[in-house]
Amino acid sequence: FLARVHPDDAPALAATVRRALAARAASWSHEFRIVTPAGAERTLVSRAEVRLDASGEPAAMHGTDQDVTEQRRLESELR
């Protein structure tokens, strides 16, 4: 997955994840682009929850990615 993140968006996505883990945030979301194997760009919104262990340390992160490429294209046309 991370290998597909657009190079211009990778640092901000990594920073969002680092901040969520450091703050023990219950949830986070971030919009970014990926590059498909065919070379096309898609825009995703990632939403995740940080799960803490009994001592309050981050133990897992579970989430989803939603492709919002078409939505962003339509929004841009409406502007």
Coordinates of all heavy atoms in Angstrom, one line a residue:
F1 N 0.8 -1.2 0.0 CA 0.0 0.0 0.0 C 0.9 1.3 0.0 O 0.7 2.1 -0.8 CB -0.9 0.0 1.2 CG -1.6 1.3 1.5 CD1 -2.7 1.7 0.7 CD2 -1.2 2.1 2.4 CE1 -3.3 2.9 0.9 CE2 -1.8 3.4 2.7 CZ -2.9 3.7 1.9
L2 N 1.8 1.4 0.9 CA 2.6 2.6 1.0 C 3.4 2.8 -0.2 O 3.7 4.0 -0.5 CB 3.5 2.5 2.3 CG 2.7 2.6 3.6 CD1 3.7 2.4 4.8 CD2 1.9 3.9 3.8
A3 N 3.8 1.8 -0.9 CA 4.6 1.9 -2.1 C 3.8 2.6 -3.2 O 4.3 3.2 -4.1 CB 5.1 0.6 -2.6
R4 N 2.5 2.6 -3.1 CA 1.6 3.2 -4.1 C 1.2 4.7 -3.8 O 0.7 5.4 -4.6 CB 0.3 2.4 -4.2 CG 0.5 1.0 -4.7 CD 0.5 1.0 -6.2 NE 0.9 -0.3 -6.7 CZ 1.8 -0.5 -7.6 NH1 2.4 0.6 -8.2 NH2 2.1 -1.7 -8.0
V5 N 1.5 5.1 -2.6 CA 1.2 6.5 -2.2 C 2.1 7.5 -3.1 O 3.3 7.3 -3.3 CB 1.5 6.8 -0.7 CG1 1.3 8.3 -0.4 CG2 0.6 5.9 0.2
H6 N 1.4 8.5 -3.6 CA 2.1 9.5 -4.5 C 3.3 10.0 -3.7 O 3.1 10.4 -2.5 CB 1.1 10.6 -4.9 CG 1.6 11.5 -5.9 ND1 2.6 12.4 -5.7 CD2 1.3 11.6 -7.2 CE1 2.8 13.1 -6.8 NE2 2.1 12.6 -7.8
P7 N 4.4 10.1 -4.3 CA 5.6 10.6 -3.6 C 5.5 12.0 -3.0 O 6.0 12.3 -1.9 CB 6.7 10.7 -4.7 CG 6.2 9.9 -5.9 CD 4.7 9.8 -5.7
D8 N 4.7 12.9 -3.6 CA 4.4 14.2 -3.0 C 3.5 14.2 -1.8 O 3.6 15.1 -1.0 CB 3.8 15.1 -4.1 CG 4.7 15.5 -5.2 OD1 5.9 15.3 -5.1 OD2 4.2 15.9 -6.2
D9 N 2.8 13.1 -1.6 CA 1.8 13.0 -0.5 C 2.3 12.1 0.6 O 1.8 12.1 1.7 CB 0.5 12.4 -1.0 CG -0.2 13.4 -2.0 OD1 0.2 14.5 -2.1 OD2 -1.2 13.0 -2.6
A10 N 3.3 11.3 0.3 CA 3.8 10.3 1.3 C 4.3 11.0 2.6 O 4.0 10.5 3.7 CB 4.9 9.5 0.7
P11 N 5.1 12.1 2.6 CA 5.5 12.7 3.9 C 4.4 13.1 4.8 O 4.4 12.9 6.0 CB 6.4 13.8 3.4 CG 6.9 13.5 2.1 CD 5.7 12.8 1.4
A12 N 3.4 13.8 4.2 CA 2.2 14.2 5.0 C 1.4 13.1 5.5 O 1.0 13.1 6.7 CB 1.3 15.2 4.2
L13 N 1.2 12.0 4.8 CA 0.5 10.9 5.3 C 1.3 10.2 6.4 O 0.7 9.9 7.5 CB 0.3 9.8 4.2 CG -0.4 8.5 4.6 CD1 -1.8 8.8 5.2 CD2 -0.5 7.6 3.4
A14 N 2.6 10.1 6.3 CA 3.4 9.5 7.3 C 3.3 10.3 8.6 O 3.3 9.8 9.7 CB 4.8 9.3 6.8
A15 N 3.4 11.7 8.4 CA 3.3 12.6 9.6 C 2.0 12.4 10.3 O 1.9 12.4 11.5 CB 3.5 14.0 9.1
T16 N 0.9 12.3 9.5 CA -0.4 12.1 10.1 C -0.5 10.9 11.0 O -1.0 10.9 12.1 CB -1.5 12.1 9.1 OG1 -1.6 13.3 8.4 CG2 -2.9 11.8 9.6
V17 N 0.0 9.8 10.5 CA 0.1 8.5 11.2 C 0.9 8.6 12.4 O 0.5 8.2 13.5 CB 0.5 7.4 10.3 CG1 0.7 6.1 11.1 CG2 -0.5 7.1 9.1
R18 N 2.1 9.2 12.3 CA 3.0 9.4 13.4 C 2.3 10.2 14.5 O 2.4 9.9 15.7 CB 4.3 10.1 13.0 CG 5.3 9.1 12.4 CD 6.7 9.8 12.3 NE 6.7 11.0 11.6 CZ 6.9 11.2 10.3 NH1 7.0 10.1 9.6 NH2 6.9 12.3 9.8
R19 N 1.7 11.3 14.1 CA 1.0 12.2 15.1 C -0.1 11.4 15.8 O -0.3 11.5 17.1 CB 0.4 13.4 14.5 CG 1.4 14.5 14.3 CD 0.8 15.9 13.9 NE -0.1 15.8 12.7 CZ 0.3 15.9 11.5 NH1 1.6 16.1 11.2 NH2 -0.6 15.8 10.5
A20 N -0.9 10.6 15.1 CA -2.0 9.9 15.7 C -1.4 8.9 16.7 O -2.0 8.7 17.8 CB -2.8 9.2 14.6
L21 N -0.4 8.2 16.3 CA 0.2 7.2 17.3 C 0.8 7.9 18.5 O 0.6 7.4 19.6 CB 1.3 6.4 16.5 CG 0.8 5.4 15.5 CD1 1.9 4.8 14.7 CD2 -0.1 4.3 16.1
A22 N 1.5 9.0 18.3 CA 2.2 9.7 19.4 C 1.1 10.3 20.4 O 1.3 10.3 21.6 CB 3.1 10.8 18.9
A23 N 0.0 10.7 19.8 CA -1.0 11.4 20.6 C -2.0 10.3 21.2 O -2.9 10.7 22.0 CB -1.8 12.4 19.8
R24 N -1.8 9.1 20.8 CA -2.7 8.0 21.1 C -4.2 8.4 20.7 O -5.1 8.2 21.5 CB -2.7 7.7 22.6 CG -1.6 6.7 23.0 CD -0.5 7.4 23.8 NE 0.5 6.5 24.2 CZ 1.8 6.6 23.8 NH1 2.1 7.5 22.9 NH2 2.7 5.8 24.3
A25 N -4.2 9.1 19.5 CA -5.5 9.5 19.0 C -6.5 8.4 18.8 O -6.1 7.3 18.3 CB -5.3 10.3 17.7
A26 N -7.7 8.6 19.1 CA -8.7 7.5 18.9 C -8.9 7.3 17.4 O -9.1 6.1 17.0 CB -10.0 7.9 19.5
S27 N -8.9 8.3 16.6 CA -9.1 8.2 15.2 C -8.4 9.3 14.4 O -8.1 10.3 15.0 CB -10.6 8.1 14.8 OG -11.2 9.3 15.2
W28 N -8.2 9.1 13.1 CA -7.6 10.1 12.2 C -8.1 9.8 10.8 O -8.6 8.8 10.5 CB -6.1 10.0 12.3 CG -5.5 8.7 11.9 CD1 -5.2 7.7 12.7 CD2 -5.1 8.3 10.6 NE1 -4.6 6.7 12.0 CE2 -4.6 7.0 10.7 CE3 -5.2 8.9 9.3 CZ2 -4.1 6.3 9.5 CZ3 -4.7 8.2 8.2 CH2 -4.2 7.0 8.3
S29 N -8.0 10.9 10.0 CA -8.3 10.7 8.6 C -7.3 11.6 7.8 O -6.8 12.6 8.3 CB -9.7 11.1 8.3 OG -9.9 12.5 8.5
H30 N -7.1 11.2 6.5 CA -6.2 12.0 5.7 C -6.5 11.7 4.2 O -6.8 10.6 3.9 CB -4.7 11.5 6.0 CG -3.7 12.4 5.4 ND1 -3.2 13.5 6.0 CD2 -3.0 12.3 4.2 CE1 -2.3 14.1 5.2 NE2 -2.2 13.3 4.1
E31 N -6.5 12.7 3.4 CA -6.7 12.6 2.0 C -5.4 12.6 1.3 O -4.5 13.5 1.6 CB -7.6 13.7 1.5 CG -8.0 13.6 0.0 CD -9.1 14.5 -0.4 OE1 -10.1 14.7 0.4 OE2 -8.9 15.2 -1.4
F32 N -5.2 11.7 0.3 CA -3.9 11.6 -0.4 C -4.1 11.0 -1.7 O -5.2 10.4 -2.0 CB -2.9 10.9 0.4 CG -3.3 9.5 0.8 CD1 -2.9 8.4 0.0 CD2 -4.1 9.3 1.9 CE1 -3.3 7.1 0.4 CE2 -4.5 8.0 2.2 CZ -4.1 6.9 1.4
R33 N -3.1 11.0 -2.6 CA -3.2 10.3 -3.9 C -2.3 9.1 -3.9 O -1.3 9.0 -3.1 CB -2.6 11.3 -4.9 CG -3.5 12.5 -5.2 CD -2.8 13.5 -6.0 NE -1.6 14.0 -5.3 CZ -0.6 14.7 -5.8 NH1 -0.6 15.0 -7.1 NH2 0.4 15.1 -5.0
I34 N -2.8 8.1 -4.7 CA -2.0 6.9 -5.0 C -1.7 6.9 -6.5 O -2.4 7.5 -7.2 CB -2.7 5.6 -4.5 CG1 -4.0 5.4 -5.2 CG2 -2.8 5.6 -3.0 CD1 -4.5 4.0 -5.1
V35 N -0.7 6.1 -6.8 CA -0.4 5.8 -8.2 C -0.7 4.3 -8.5 O -0.1 3.5 -7.8 CB 1.0 6.2 -8.6 CG1 1.3 5.9 -10.1 CG2 1.3 7.7 -8.2
T36 N -1.6 4.0 -9.4 CA -2.0 2.6 -9.6 C -0.8 1.9 -10.4 O 0.0 2.6 -11.0 CB -3.3 2.5 -10.4 OG1 -3.0 3.0 -11.8 CG2 -4.4 3.3 -9.8
P37 N -0.9 0.6 -10.5 CA 0.2 -0.1 -11.3 C 0.2 0.4 -12.8 O 1.2 0.4 -13.4 CB -0.2 -1.6 -11.2 CG -0.9 -1.6 -9.9 CD -1.7 -0.3 -9.7
A38 N -1.0 0.8 -13.3 CA -1.1 1.3 -14.7 C -0.6 2.8 -14.8 O -0.6 3.3 -15.9 CB -2.5 1.2 -15.1
G39 N -0.3 3.4 -13.6 CA 0.3 4.8 -13.7 C -0.8 5.9 -13.5 O -0.5 7.0 -13.5
A40 N -2.0 5.5 -13.3 CA -3.1 6.5 -13.0 C -3.1 7.0 -11.6 O -2.7 6.2 -10.7 CB -4.5 5.9 -13.3
E41 N -3.4 8.2 -11.4 CA -3.6 8.8 -10.1 C -5.0 8.7 -9.6 O -5.9 8.9 -10.3 CB -3.2 10.3 -10.0 CG -1.7 10.5 -10.0 CD -1.4 12.0 -9.8 OE1 -2.3 12.8 -9.3 OE2 -0.3 12.4 -10.1
R42 N -5.2 8.3 -8.3 CA -6.5 8.2 -7.7 C -6.4 8.9 -6.4 O -5.3 8.9 -5.7 CB -6.9 6.7 -7.4 CG -6.9 5.8 -8.6 CD -7.8 6.2 -9.7 NE -9.2 6.0 -9.2 CZ -10.3 6.3 -9.9 NH1 -10.1 6.7 -11.2 NH2 -11.5 6.1 -9.5
T43 N -7.4 9.5 -5.9 CA -7.5 10.2 -4.6 C -8.2 9.4 -3.6 O -9.3 8.9 -3.9 CB -8.1 11.6 -4.8 OG1 -7.4 12.4 -5.8 CG2 -8.1 12.4 -3.5
L44 N -7.6 9.2 -2.5 CA -8.2 8.4 -1.4 C -8.4 9.2 -0.2 O -7.6 10.1 0.1 CB -7.3 7.1 -1.1 CG -7.0 6.2 -2.2 CD1 -6.2 5.0 -1.6 CD2 -8.2 5.6 -2.9
V45 N -9.4 8.8 0.6 CA -9.5 9.3 2.0 C -9.3 8.1 2.9 O -10.0 7.1 2.8 CB -10.8 10.0 2.3 CG1 -11.0 10.3 3.8 CG2 -10.9 11.2 1.5
S46 N -8.3 8.1 3.8 CA -8.0 7.1 4.7 C -8.6 7.5 6.1 O -8.3 8.6 6.5 CB -6.5 6.8 4.8 OG -6.2 5.7 5.6
R47 N -9.3 6.6 6.7 CA -9.8 6.8 8.0 C -9.5 5.6 8.9 O -9.7 4.5 8.4 CB -11.4 7.0 8.0 CG -11.8 8.2 7.3 CD -13.4 8.3 7.3 NE -13.8 9.6 6.7 CZ -14.0 9.7 5.4 NH1 -13.8 8.7 4.6 NH2 -14.4 10.9 5.0
A48 N -8.9 5.9 10.0 CA -8.4 4.7 10.9 C -8.6 5.0 12.3 O -8.7 6.2 12.8 CB -7.0 4.4 10.6
E49 N -8.6 4.0 13.1 CA -8.7 4.1 14.6 C -7.4 3.4 15.1 O -7.0 2.4 14.7 CB -9.9 3.3 15.1 CG -11.2 3.9 14.7 CD -12.4 3.2 15.3 OE1 -12.2 2.1 15.9 OE2 -13.5 3.7 15.2
V50 N -6.9 4.0 16.1 CA -5.7 3.5 16.9 C -6.2 2.7 18.1 O -7.0 3.3 18.8 CB -4.8 4.6 17.3 CG1 -3.6 4.0 18.1 CG2 -4.3 5.4 16.1
R51 N -5.9 1.5 18.1 CA -6.2 0.6 19.3 C -5.1 0.6 20.3 O -3.9 0.4 19.9 CB -6.6 -0.8 18.8 CG -7.7 -0.9 17.8 CD -9.0 -0.7 18.4 NE -10.1 -0.6 17.4 CZ -10.9 -1.5 17.1 NH1 -10.9 -2.6 17.7 NH2 -11.8 -1.2 16.1
L52 N -5.4 0.8 21.5 CA -4.4 0.8 22.6 C -4.4 -0.5 23.3 O -5.5 -1.1 23.5 CB -4.6 2.0 23.5 CG -4.6 3.4 22.9 CD1 -4.9 4.5 23.9 CD2 -3.4 3.7 22.1
D53 N -3.2 -0.9 23.9 CA -3.2 -2.1 24.7 C -3.5 -1.7 26.2 O -3.9 -0.5 26.4 CB -1.8 -2.8 24.6 CG -0.7 -1.9 25.1 OD1 -0.9 -0.9 25.8 OD2 0.5 -2.3 24.8
A54 N -3.5 -2.6 27.1 CA -3.9 -2.4 28.4 C -3.0 -1.3 29.1 O -3.5 -0.6 30.0 CB -3.7 -3.7 29.2
S55 N -1.8 -1.1 28.6 CA -1.0 -0.1 29.2 C -1.1 1.3 28.5 O -0.4 2.2 28.9 CB 0.5 -0.5 29.2 OG 1.0 -0.6 27.9
G56 N -2.0 1.4 27.6 CA -2.2 2.7 26.9 C -1.3 2.9 25.7 O -1.3 4.0 25.2
E57 N -0.5 1.9 25.3 CA 0.4 2.1 24.2 C -0.4 1.6 22.9 O -1.2 0.7 22.9 CB 1.6 1.2 24.3 CG 2.5 1.7 25.5 CD 3.1 3.1 25.2 OE1 3.5 3.3 24.1 OE2 3.0 3.9 26.2
P58 N -0.1 2.3 21.8 CA -0.7 1.8 20.5 C -0.3 0.4 20.2 O 0.9 0.0 20.3 CB 0.0 2.8 19.5 CG 0.4 4.0 20.2 CD 0.8 3.4 21.6
A59 N -1.3 -0.4 19.9 CA -1.1 -1.8 19.7 C -1.5 -2.2 18.2 O -1.0 -3.2 17.7 CB -1.9 -2.7 20.6
A60 N -2.5 -1.5 17.7 CA -3.0 -1.8 16.3 C -3.6 -0.6 15.7 O -4.0 0.3 16.5 CB -3.9 -3.0 16.4
M61 N -3.8 -0.6 14.4 CA -4.5 0.4 13.7 C -5.4 -0.2 12.7 O -4.9 -1.1 11.9 CB -3.5 1.4 13.1 CG -4.2 2.6 12.6 SD -3.1 4.0 12.0 CE -1.5 3.4 12.1
H62 N -6.7 0.1 12.7 CA -7.6 -0.5 11.8 C -8.3 0.6 11.0 O -8.7 1.6 11.7 CB -8.6 -1.4 12.5 CG -8.0 -2.5 13.3 ND1 -7.7 -3.7 12.8 CD2 -7.7 -2.5 14.6 CE1 -7.1 -4.4 13.7 NE2 -7.2 -3.7 14.8
G63 N -8.5 0.4 9.7 CA -9.2 1.5 9.0 C -9.6 1.1 7.6 O -9.5 0.0 7.2
T64 N -10.1 2.1 6.9 CA -10.5 1.9 5.5 C -10.0 3.0 4.6 O -9.6 4.1 5.1 CB -12.1 1.9 5.4 OG1 -12.5 3.2 5.8 CG2 -12.7 0.9 6.3
D65 N -10.0 2.8 3.4 CA -9.6 3.8 2.4 C -10.8 3.9 1.4 O -11.4 2.9 1.0 CB -8.4 3.4 1.6 CG -7.1 3.4 2.4 OD1 -6.9 4.3 3.2 OD2 -6.4 2.4 2.3
Q66 N -11.2 5.1 1.1 CA -12.3 5.3 0.2 C -11.7 6.1 -1.0 O -11.1 7.1 -0.9 CB -13.4 6.1 0.8 CG -14.6 6.4 -0.1 CD -15.7 7.2 0.6 OE1 -15.5 7.6 1.8 NE2 -16.8 7.4 -0.1
D67 N -12.0 5.6 -2.2 CA -11.6 6.3 -3.5 C -12.6 7.4 -3.7 O -13.8 7.2 -3.9 CB -11.7 5.3 -4.6 CG -11.1 5.9 -5.9 OD1 -11.1 7.1 -6.1 OD2 -10.7 5.1 -6.8
V68 N -12.1 8.7 -3.6 CA -12.9 9.9 -3.8 C -12.5 10.6 -5.1 O -12.9 11.8 -5.2 CB -12.9 10.8 -2.6 CG1 -13.5 10.1 -1.4 CG2 -11.5 11.3 -2.3
T69 N -11.9 9.9 -6.0 CA -11.4 10.6 -7.2 C -12.5 11.2 -8.0 O -12.4 12.4 -8.4 CB -10.7 9.5 -8.1 OG1 -9.6 8.9 -7.3 CG2 -10.1 10.2 -9.3
E70 N -13.6 10.5 -8.2 CA -14.7 11.0 -9.0 C -15.4 12.2 -8.3 O -15.7 13.2 -8.9 CB -15.7 9.9 -9.4 CG -16.8 10.4 -10.3 CD -16.3 10.7 -11.7 OE1 -15.1 10.4 -12.1 OE2 -17.1 11.3 -12.5
Q71 N -15.5 12.1 -7.0 CA -16.2 13.1 -6.2 C -15.3 14.4 -6.3 O -15.9 15.5 -6.5 CB -16.3 12.7 -4.8 CG -16.9 13.7 -3.9 CD -17.0 13.3 -2.4 OE1 -16.9 12.1 -2.1 NE2 -17.2 14.2 -1.5
R72 N -14.0 14.3 -6.2 CA -13.2 15.5 -6.2 C -13.2 16.1 -7.7 O -13.2 17.3 -7.8 CB -11.7 15.2 -5.8 CG -11.6 14.7 -4.4 CD -12.0 15.8 -3.4 NE -11.9 15.4 -2.1 CZ -12.9 15.1 -1.3 NH1 -14.1 15.0 -1.8 NH2 -12.7 14.7 0.0
R73 N -13.3 15.2 -8.7 CA -13.3 15.7 -10.1 C -14.6 16.5 -10.3 O -14.6 17.6 -10.8 CB -13.3 14.6 -11.1 CG -13.2 15.1 -12.5 CD -13.3 13.9 -13.5 NE -14.6 13.3 -13.4 CZ -15.8 13.7 -14.0 NH1 -15.7 14.9 -14.6 NH2 -16.9 13.1 -13.9
L74 N -15.7 16.0 -9.8 CA -17.0 16.7 -9.9 C -17.0 18.0 -9.1 O -17.5 19.0 -9.6 CB -18.2 15.8 -9.5 CG -18.4 14.6 -10.4 CD1 -19.4 13.6 -9.7 CD2 -18.9 15.0 -11.8
E75 N -16.5 18.0 -7.9 CA -16.4 19.2 -7.1 C -15.6 20.3 -7.9 O -15.9 21.5 -7.9 CB -15.8 18.9 -5.8 CG -16.7 18.1 -4.9 CD -15.9 17.7 -3.6 OE1 -14.7 17.8 -3.5 OE2 -16.6 17.1 -2.7
S76 N -14.5 19.9 -8.5 CA -13.6 20.8 -9.2 C -14.4 21.4 -10.4 O -14.3 22.6 -10.7 CB -12.4 20.1 -9.7 OG -11.6 20.9 -10.5
E77 N -15.2 20.6 -11.1 CA -16.0 21.1 -12.2 C -17.0 22.1 -11.8 O -17.4 23.0 -12.6 CB -16.7 19.9 -13.0 CG -15.7 19.1 -13.8 CD -16.4 18.0 -14.5 OE1 -17.7 17.9 -14.5 OE2 -15.7 17.1 -15.1
L78 N -17.6 22.0 -10.6 CA -18.6 22.8 -10.1 C -18.1 24.2 -9.6 O -18.8 25.1 -9.5 CB -19.4 22.2 -9.0 CG -20.3 21.0 -9.4 CD1 -20.8 20.3 -8.2 CD2 -21.4 21.5 -10.3
R79 N -16.8 24.3 -9.5 CA -16.2 25.6 -9.0 C -16.1 26.6 -10.1 O -15.9 26.4 -11.2 CB -14.8 25.3 -8.4 CG -14.9 24.7 -7.0 CD -13.6 24.6 -6.4 NE -13.6 23.5 -5.5 CZ -12.7 22.5 -5.5 NH1 -11.6 22.7 -6.2 NH2 -12.8 21.5 -4.7

